Amino acid sequence: MDGDFIPFKREVISKIEHTEGMSTDTYCCLNVDEILQYPELPTGCEVTSLAMALNYHGYLVGKEELFNNYLLYSSEDYPVGFNGECMWPPAIVDMINNFMMDNEDERIGIDKTGTDLLELLKYIDKGIPIIVWVNDTYSSLIEYDGNEFYYEDKFYQSYWGEHCIILKGYDLDNGVVIVNDPLSGELEIDIELFNSVYNACGKYAVIIDLP
């Protein structure tokens, strides 16, 4: 679900400290190529983000190929399929697993919903970008639309302006995370702001890794 996009202003206003398990370096950014969702997939931020993740992991697969061949649909149950506007981590995990099975790859999609941001950054240190849900204006003022779901012991609720991106890096000296946004490309976003948006949107996240 992507509404009218408001370009994000790059700002640097905060810093964070290292946590146990993070790299000793203050900067890490994975080489994830940008893929934009427009004009072909105006409501396809999730599929576009998945295409970026799969390309990083070695698969030259396009967003439209994923949309046409792997997209799962559901008109009522957002966690298990695309409803025409949005979809949630379990559906992305199933898409990843179907794709990996077709390619005889042992890696799988793993739903990391509920994981704190600083824990997610440790995956970047391991060379793993993260598919993350935010909103299209990077605002922590979230308006929920009333749809709530429990799926495999995790809670999901939909909200206006839902948006899916790739979290691929951080710069601790400047207090920013680095993302690939399917609407506007690479952005640097203040860590505290990003953390508040990520938390407000439900801490939805998915990685691709060995089980």
Side-chain angles (χ1 to χ4, degrees):
M1 180 190 301
D2 300 298
D4 294 333
F5 177 66
I6 300 175
F8 181 77
K9 294 182 179 179
R10 300 186 182 195
E11 297 178 346
V12 175
I13 59 174
S14 67
K15 294 183 179 180
I16 63 173
E17 301 295 331
H18 288 289
T19 61
E20 183 178 355
M22 286 184 66
S23 167
T24 56
D25 296 330
T26 60
Y27 176 89
C28 183
C29 186
L30 304 178
N31 186 25
V32 183
D33 291 336
E34 300 174 23
I35 301 177
L36 299 181
Q37 66 188 80
Y38 277 92
E40 297 86 0
L41 302 178
T43 60
C45 57
E46 301 93 345
V47 172
T48 304
S49 293
L50 176 55
M52 285 190 272
L54 288 172
N55 273 258
Y56 171 82
H57 285 290
Y59 290 101
L60 298 179
V61 57
K63 60 188 179 183
E64 292 173 272
E65 180 181 347
L66 290 174
F67 186 91
N68 292 329
N69 297 327
Y70 290 95
L71 186 65
L72 303 173
Y73 291 91
S74 175
S75 61
E76 298 180 355
D77 196 351
Y78 295 7
V80 300
F82 181 61
N83 72 340
E85 295 184 337
C86 61
M87 59 194 301
W88 300 118
I92 290 292
V93 166
D94 287 343
M95 287 181 65
I96 293 169
N97 292 342
N98 291 340
F99 181 90
M100 291 304 193
M101 186 179 302
D102 284 350
N103 287 277
E104 299 181 346
D105 193 320
E106 294 182 355
R107 290 174 292 183
I108 62 172
I110 303 174
D111 188 347
K112 303 303 295 185
T113 292
T115 303
D116 290 339
L117 177 60
L118 294 185
E119 291 297 312
L120 288 185
L121 297 185
K122 296 177 184 178
Y123 289 106
I124 295 173
D125 291 334
K126 297 176 182 177
I128 301 173
I130 308 104
I131 302 171
V132 173
W133 279 253
V134 290
N135 60 33
D136 55 11
T137 59
Y138 295 97
S139 170
S140 59
L141 300 176
I142 304 300
E143 183 180 355
Y144 301 101
D145 67 9
N147 291 300
E148 300 180 350
F149 307 90
Y150 284 93
Y151 187 82
E152 296 184 349
D153 298 324
K154 295 183 186 293
F155 176 69
Y156 306 91
Q157 58 182 335
S158 58
Y159 53 89
W160 298 108
E162 175 268 344
H163 191 43
C164 189
I165 63 174
I166 290 288
L167 176 61
K168 68 174 185 178
Y170 60 82
D171 181 347
L172 301 185
D173 288 336
N174 288 313
V176 296
V177 293
I178 305 164
V179 307
N180 277 6
D181 187 318
L183 286 172
S184 54
E186 182 179 286
L187 296 174
E188 294 178 352
I189 304 173
D190 171 73
I191 288 174
E192 289 188 358
L193 171 61
F194 187 86
N195 189 46
S196 67
V197 174
Y198 171 67
N199 290 343
C201 291
K203 296 184 179 180
Y204 303 159
V206 169
I207 64 170
I208 299 172
D209 200 4
L210 290 170

